[in-house]
Amino acid sequence: MIPVRALALTLAVLAALAGCGKPGSPPVKGPQPEDLPVYQVDSAFRLPDSPTWEKAKRRGHLVVGAKEDQPYMGEKDPASGRYSGFDIEIAKMMSASLGFDPKTIEFKTIASANRETALQNGQIDYYVGTYTINDNRKKQVGFAGPYFMAGQSLLVRKDEKDIKGPEDLAGKKVCSAAGSTPYQRLQKEFPKAVLVAYDTYSVCVDNLLTYQVDAVSTDDSILLGYAAKVPEELKVVGEPFSEEPYGIGVPRSDNALRFALDDALEAQEKNGNWKKAYEATLGLSGEPAPTPPAIDRYPAS
Ligand code: GLU
């Protein structure tokens, strides 16, 4: 049974998360289109060594995997179907560098647990969605980047007093996404936490607001977005306790595409677009733009 107060609170909060606040209440500030950079399409670009690029060229546009429920990173507006956020801007700047008008990108929402399969079976050309580069995943997919460094953190209800860091999670119900690195880390390093897994973090947040779980754990970049939507109900606590370097996922054998995306990231960081895109999206959570991490152009395998 959910307590009545909790239920009323939850309904209000869910409405806020869905972007439909009470009449007269100010809308939650999301990315403003006029603040976003305009990416110059490199129409002369060709990449004949990349089967993924060649297939996209024949199709006429790119198909990009993303998240749709992570405020400031990758979020889909249910009314317009439009995606926005820092990851979406990265996807767009990559598209322009590869010679495709970013307006023509077909975004597909892919959950954390399904990213490798989506890339392996050609459902998407590349993936931009809080995707941590690690050796295990590198056996299945390729990664351009990193383009951002996040860290695992904890989201709790505003009135929570006991949980200040991962060492306080013993006996507590903690929610994370199936197939994610934060889930795996909790399992391995904090085995006394009672783990709950869902496909998406937004379902975890709903569970937190309805008192079904005590904390949500994933990257700080994701949690800050949820906390910013309902600051009177949620807070991020403690210091980040991992390093999560974000990469652009590509089919593993397509080294030409991976190197082209590394080049594109470097160019877009240099010309100021990366910083401008950050400031118009994730920067809204209050964190100033960091220096992007160095690109790791690992050899073709
Ligand atoms: N960056 C972590 C991961 O790639 C957590 C975020 C996510 O699930 O997308 O697993």
Side-chain angles (χ1 to χ4, degrees), residues 32 134 141 147 175 253 259 262 268:
Q32 303 298 302
N134 66 28
V141 300
Y147 62 88
C175 191
S253 56
F259 293 139
D262 281 338
Q268 300 281 4

PDB file of all heavy atoms in Angstrom, residues 32 134 141 147 175 253 259 262 268:
ATOM      1  N   GLN A  32      16.856  25.389 -24.830  1.00  0.00           N
ATOM      2  CA  GLN A  32      16.158  26.363 -25.678  1.00  0.00           C
ATOM      3  C   GLN A  32      16.772  26.313 -27.079  1.00  0.00           C
ATOM      4  O   GLN A  32      17.988  26.505 -27.213  1.00  0.00           O
ATOM      5  CB  GLN A  32      16.315  27.784 -25.104  1.00  0.00           C
ATOM      6  CG  GLN A  32      15.824  27.925 -23.673  1.00  0.00           C
ATOM      7  CD  GLN A  32      14.344  27.629 -23.540  1.00  0.00           C
ATOM      8  OE1 GLN A  32      13.518  28.274 -24.181  1.00  0.00           O
ATOM      9  NE2 GLN A  32      13.990  26.629 -22.742  1.00  0.00           N
ATOM     10  N   ASN A 134      33.989   0.467 -21.900  1.00  0.00           N
ATOM     11  CA  ASN A 134      34.805  -0.438 -21.068  1.00  0.00           C
ATOM     12  C   ASN A 134      35.246  -1.654 -21.895  1.00  0.00           C
ATOM     13  O   ASN A 134      34.732  -1.892 -22.996  1.00  0.00           O
ATOM     14  CB  ASN A 134      34.111  -0.824 -19.750  1.00  0.00           C
ATOM     15  CG  ASN A 134      32.878  -1.666 -19.951  1.00  0.00           C
ATOM     16  OD1 ASN A 134      32.748  -2.407 -20.929  1.00  0.00           O
ATOM     17  ND2 ASN A 134      31.945  -1.557 -19.020  1.00  0.00           N
ATOM     18  N   VAL A 141      31.297  -4.184 -29.296  1.00  0.00           N
ATOM     19  CA  VAL A 141      31.065  -2.987 -30.123  1.00  0.00           C
ATOM     20  C   VAL A 141      32.335  -2.126 -30.138  1.00  0.00           C
ATOM     21  O   VAL A 141      33.255  -2.367 -29.362  1.00  0.00           O
ATOM     22  CB  VAL A 141      29.883  -2.135 -29.572  1.00  0.00           C
ATOM     23  CG1 VAL A 141      28.589  -2.932 -29.561  1.00  0.00           C
ATOM     24  CG2 VAL A 141      30.193  -1.594 -28.180  1.00  0.00           C
ATOM     25  N   TYR A 147      33.728  11.427 -25.091  1.00  0.00           N
ATOM     26  CA  TYR A 147      33.358  12.834 -25.294  1.00  0.00           C
ATOM     27  C   TYR A 147      32.892  13.479 -23.987  1.00  0.00           C
ATOM     28  O   TYR A 147      32.593  14.688 -23.961  1.00  0.00           O
ATOM     29  CB  TYR A 147      32.276  12.966 -26.374  1.00  0.00           C
ATOM     30  CG  TYR A 147      30.972  12.270 -26.028  1.00  0.00           C
ATOM     31  CD1 TYR A 147      29.976  12.914 -25.312  1.00  0.00           C
ATOM     32  CD2 TYR A 147      30.757  10.944 -26.408  1.00  0.00           C
ATOM     33  CE1 TYR A 147      28.793  12.274 -24.986  1.00  0.00           C
ATOM     34  CE2 TYR A 147      29.576  10.294 -26.086  1.00  0.00           C
ATOM     35  CZ  TYR A 147      28.609  10.962 -25.383  1.00  0.00           C
ATOM     36  OH  TYR A 147      27.439  10.311 -25.052  1.00  0.00           O
ATOM     37  N   CYS A 175      17.712   1.053  -6.869  1.00  0.00           N
ATOM     38  CA  CYS A 175      17.260   0.759  -8.233  1.00  0.00           C
ATOM     39  C   CYS A 175      18.256   1.272  -9.272  1.00  0.00           C
ATOM     40  O   CYS A 175      18.812   2.371  -9.133  1.00  0.00           O
ATOM     41  CB  CYS A 175      15.905   1.432  -8.446  1.00  0.00           C
ATOM     42  SG  CYS A 175      15.070   0.908  -9.940  1.00  0.00           S
ATOM     43  N   SER A 253      33.292  -3.894 -36.100  1.00  0.00           N
ATOM     44  CA  SER A 253      34.257  -4.047 -37.202  1.00  0.00           C
ATOM     45  C   SER A 253      34.407  -2.773 -38.035  1.00  0.00           C
ATOM     46  O   SER A 253      35.277  -2.705 -38.901  1.00  0.00           O
ATOM     47  CB  SER A 253      33.824  -5.201 -38.101  1.00  0.00           C
ATOM     48  OG  SER A 253      32.504  -4.943 -38.553  1.00  0.00           O
ATOM     49  N   PHE A 259      36.998   5.914 -36.460  1.00  0.00           N
ATOM     50  CA  PHE A 259      38.050   6.940 -36.582  1.00  0.00           C
ATOM     51  C   PHE A 259      37.476   8.266 -37.113  1.00  0.00           C
ATOM     52  O   PHE A 259      37.895   9.339 -36.682  1.00  0.00           O
ATOM     53  CB  PHE A 259      39.187   6.444 -37.472  1.00  0.00           C
ATOM     54  CG  PHE A 259      39.965   5.298 -36.862  1.00  0.00           C
ATOM     55  CD1 PHE A 259      40.382   4.216 -37.639  1.00  0.00           C
ATOM     56  CD2 PHE A 259      40.297   5.297 -35.512  1.00  0.00           C
ATOM     57  CE1 PHE A 259      41.098   3.160 -37.070  1.00  0.00           C
ATOM     58  CE2 PHE A 259      41.012   4.237 -34.933  1.00  0.00           C
ATOM     59  CZ  PHE A 259      41.412   3.169 -35.720  1.00  0.00           C
ATOM     60  N   ASP A 262      35.950   9.928 -34.191  1.00  0.00           N
ATOM     61  CA  ASP A 262      37.006  10.499 -33.330  1.00  0.00           C
ATOM     62  C   ASP A 262      37.463  11.847 -33.897  1.00  0.00           C
ATOM     63  O   ASP A 262      37.597  12.828 -33.161  1.00  0.00           O
ATOM     64  CB  ASP A 262      38.210   9.545 -33.250  1.00  0.00           C
ATOM     65  CG  ASP A 262      37.984   8.382 -32.282  1.00  0.00           C
ATOM     66  OD1 ASP A 262      37.135   8.503 -31.388  1.00  0.00           O
ATOM     67  OD2 ASP A 262      38.674   7.356 -32.435  1.00  0.00           O
ATOM     68  N   GLN A 268      34.860  19.233 -33.404  1.00  0.00           N
ATOM     69  CA  GLN A 268      33.721  19.948 -32.800  1.00  0.00           C
ATOM     70  C   GLN A 268      34.066  20.456 -31.394  1.00  0.00           C
ATOM     71  O   GLN A 268      33.448  21.392 -30.907  1.00  0.00           O
ATOM     72  CB  GLN A 268      32.490  19.033 -32.733  1.00  0.00           C
ATOM     73  CG  GLN A 268      32.021  18.519 -34.092  1.00  0.00           C
ATOM     74  CD  GLN A 268      31.205  19.523 -34.884  1.00  0.00           C
ATOM     75  OE1 GLN A 268      31.013  20.673 -34.474  1.00  0.00           O
ATOM     76  NE2 GLN A 268      30.717  19.090 -36.038  1.00  0.00           N
TER      77      GLN A 268
END
